[in-house]
Structures are given as structure tokens and as C-alpha cells.
Amino acid sequence: MASLRDIKRRIKSVRNTSQITKAMQMVASAKMRRAQELALKGRTYMSALANVLKHLQDTLTEGISSPLMEMREKGKKLIIVVSTDRGLCGGLNANLFKEILTRCDADADYLTVGVKLNAQLARCGRNLVASFTIGDTVEEAELKPIFQFVRKGFTDGTYNRVEVIYQKFINVMVQRPDVMALLPLSTEDILKVAQQDDVEDDTNPNYLLEPSPKALLDSILPLFLGHQLVQMILEGKASEQSARMVAMKAATENAKTLIGELTLEYNKARQTQITNELLEITTAMKAME
């Protein structure tokens, strides 16, 4: 049996750890609320933007034509992996990595947003061409190099398809890995985004378009592409903070349980020590009679 000093030292260590995990839980909870709010608002914005594109498509007699929608046979596939920069978020990254091994091509190029899975991708032989770090606030200046890299690689023919694998935010307890095609943009994908949220839609729009529907389309398609990538990153951030809050809450509760068990063990050891001391005193008194 461990000594009383060792048990007290363990209790103090676990209590200090529980204070740290409790603080991390509170920080993650505050960040989670902000990230969740941004992710949900982003869905509404993307739906409204997709509805505008749908109406623009209806005004074009020759259909949509844009370099961002061209289907190509030559080139490689680029896969964007939206992971995290820090750990302590449960099995979030592990589940995402399992999905990569299952659903993503081994011969594709990989770009990571968040560095946590870089080592795993290298160990399994995936070709990592770029890696970016994004803060919790998701600043536009941080996203611009990513968007430029992706768009340039697609328009110059280096890549014929771009996909994004990320953690889709369902609720605080559930985050689901998902794979979504980013480029080339398709009418079906735009309509799917337009239907994903309850956005007011006029079935008979009467828009005044200037300078022309085609010029507006060429301006809005890059905007739609950029915000689609932003939305996936926001979903990943909301999933990260939710998973971290849940993991830290579980760690805090486990620490409290362990403290209770160690306290009980300490009390038993202390009682045993007191009993032995009483027996020694009694034995010594009898020996003196």
C-alpha cells in the first residue's frame, strides 16, 4: 500500500490537473458558442448566395460558362484537409484521418488547414504540397493564400478536381466527417447549397441586373467558391471547440472521480495507521504491567 505522503501527493496532482481541465473547458465553451454562431450564420449566407446564382443561371440563355466550372480530364486531384492545430479534442482528428484513408485517393495531392494530421499523412505516403494555419477567429487575410493556391492550381490545369474533407458540425455532441467537391463548380452543387437552409426565395424573381448577367456571374462565382471554403473551415472550427469542450468536461469529471477514490484510499490508510499505533500503545502498556 502506498504511503500517506504518496497518496496526498497524488491527490494534489490530480486536483491541479482538474483545475486546468476545468479552465480549458470554460475557454472552449466560450469559443464554441462563437464558432457555432458563425457556422450557422454562414450556412444561411451560402444558401442566399446560391439562390442568387440560381436566378442568374435562369437568365442566361446559353447556360453557365466559367473557368471555375470546366470539367477537365488532365491533371491531378487536390484534397484539402481541414483539421486542427492543437490536440485535446477527443477523437476528432483520429476519426477524420480514418475517413481520409477510406474515402480519399492515395495518389492525390494534399493541402492541410491545421497541422495536426501532417505527420500522419506523411507516414502513410500522402503527398503534402502545402499546409496553412488558421486562428480561431478565421481572418480573411489568413484565407486569401489558400484560396489563391487552390484557384491558380485549378485554372492553370495542375488540378482537375478539388475536394475538401472536414468535420461537419451537427451539434455539440456530434461532429461527422464529410467530403465535399469544391471544384469544378456544378449547377447541381449550387442548387444543393441553395436548398440546405430556410431562406426566403421568390419563385418569380424580378431582378434588374447590371452590367449584365454574365458579368455578374463571373464576379459571384469566385465569391461563392471562396465562401464555400470559408464555411467548411468554420464548420471545422465549431466541431473542434465542441469536441474540446466535451473532452475537457469528461477529463474534469474523471479527475473528480479519481480524487474521491484517492481520498477514500487515504482515509483507509490513515485509519489503518491509527489502529496500528493504538495496538502498539496497548501492547507496550501490557508489557509494562
Side-chain angles (χ1 to χ4, degrees):
M1 180 180 294
S3 66
L4 293 176
R5 181 178 298 178
D6 292 337
I7 298 175
K8 288 182 67 175
R9 188 181 295 114
R10 290 184 61 192
I11 292 175
K12 182 179 180 181
S13 176
V14 174
R15 183 174 288 112
N16 291 338
T17 302
S18 69
Q19 292 175 351
I20 295 173
T21 56
K22 180 65 176 179
M24 294 181 67
Q25 175 190 342
M26 296 176 65
V27 172
S29 178
K31 290 183 177 180
M32 180 203 68
R33 286 192 292 269
R34 177 61 175 165
Q36 180 180 351
E37 179 183 354
L38 290 175
L40 295 179
K41 286 183 178 179
R43 293 178 185 177
T44 304
Y45 179 82
M46 287 299 302
S47 297
L49 191 59
N51 275 315
V52 174
L53 285 174
K54 182 177 67 175
H55 296 321
L56 284 175
Q57 178 198 3
D58 294 338
T59 64
L60 298 176
T61 56
E62 299 179 356
I64 291 180
S65 176
S66 171
L68 298 178
M69 304 186 76
E70 292 180 2
M71 304 293 294
R72 300 185 178 91
E73 296 183 358
K74 295 183 179 180
K76 298 182 65 176
K77 179 186 291 187
L78 176 67
I79 298 176
I80 302 175
V81 180
V82 181
S83 62
T84 68
D85 291 308
R86 297 181 297 273
L88 299 176
C89 51
L92 192 75
N93 289 314
N95 294 335
L96 186 65
F97 184 66
K98 290 178 182 178
E99 201 73 10
I100 292 173
L101 297 179
T102 303
R103 300 178 61 180
C104 297
D105 297 342
D107 57 349
D109 286 347
Y110 284 79
L111 180 152
T112 60
V113 180
V115 301
K116 202 61 181 178
L117 290 181
N118 288 4
Q120 289 91 322
L121 291 172
R123 280 198 296 268
C124 66
R126 304 299 168 100
N127 183 31
L128 182 62
V129 294
S131 181
F132 296 89
T133 299
I134 301 296
D136 294 329
T137 55
V138 190
E139 298 291 340
E140 183 179 354
E142 297 175 315
L143 298 173
K144 189 175 181 180
I146 304 175
F147 180 71
Q148 290 177 341
F149 180 92
V150 173
R151 185 176 179 181
K152 181 178 183 301
F154 182 78
T155 54
D156 66 13
T158 304
Y159 302 112
N160 60 7
R161 184 174 177 83
V162 180
E163 294 180 351
V164 182
I165 180 167
Y166 66 106
Q167 289 284 1
K168 184 176 180 62
F169 177 77
I170 307 299
N171 54 52
V172 176
M173 301 299 297
V174 180
Q175 301 86 37
R176 185 177 303 141
D178 193 16
V179 179
M180 181 175 290
L182 189 65
L183 287 170
L185 291 172
S186 66
T187 305
E188 292 77 11
D189 292 337
I190 294 174
L191 294 177
K192 187 184 299 183
V193 173
Q195 297 169 359
Q196 75 178 2
D197 209 339
D198 296 330
V199 178
E200 294 184 2
D201 185 19
D202 186 1
T203 55
N204 296 307
N206 186 16
Y207 290 163
L208 178 62
L209 303 177
E210 293 182 358
S212 68
K214 184 66 171 63
L216 286 175
L217 193 68
D218 291 338
S219 299
I220 293 179
L221 275 179
L223 181 66
F224 177 82
L225 174 65
H227 280 282
Q228 195 173 25
L229 180 59
V230 170
Q231 180 61 27
M232 295 176 191
I233 295 175
L234 290 176
E235 297 272 350
K237 291 294 182 182
S239 299
E240 175 188 355
Q241 300 301 339
S242 299
R244 181 169 291 115
M245 188 201 69
V246 172
M248 292 301 99
K249 182 178 179 180
T252 303
E253 293 175 350
N254 290 337
K256 291 180 179 179
T257 302
L258 183 56
I259 289 174
E261 294 175 353
L262 289 173
T263 301
L264 180 60
E265 182 181 351
Y266 176 83
N267 292 337
K268 288 181 178 179
R270 179 59 178 163
Q271 185 64 42
T272 300
Q273 185 183 37
I274 293 173
T275 303
N276 292 335
E277 290 175 355
L278 290 174
L279 287 175
E280 290 176 0
I281 293 173
T282 304
T283 303
M285 289 178 63
K286 288 185 177 181
M288 295 174 61
E289 293 179 354

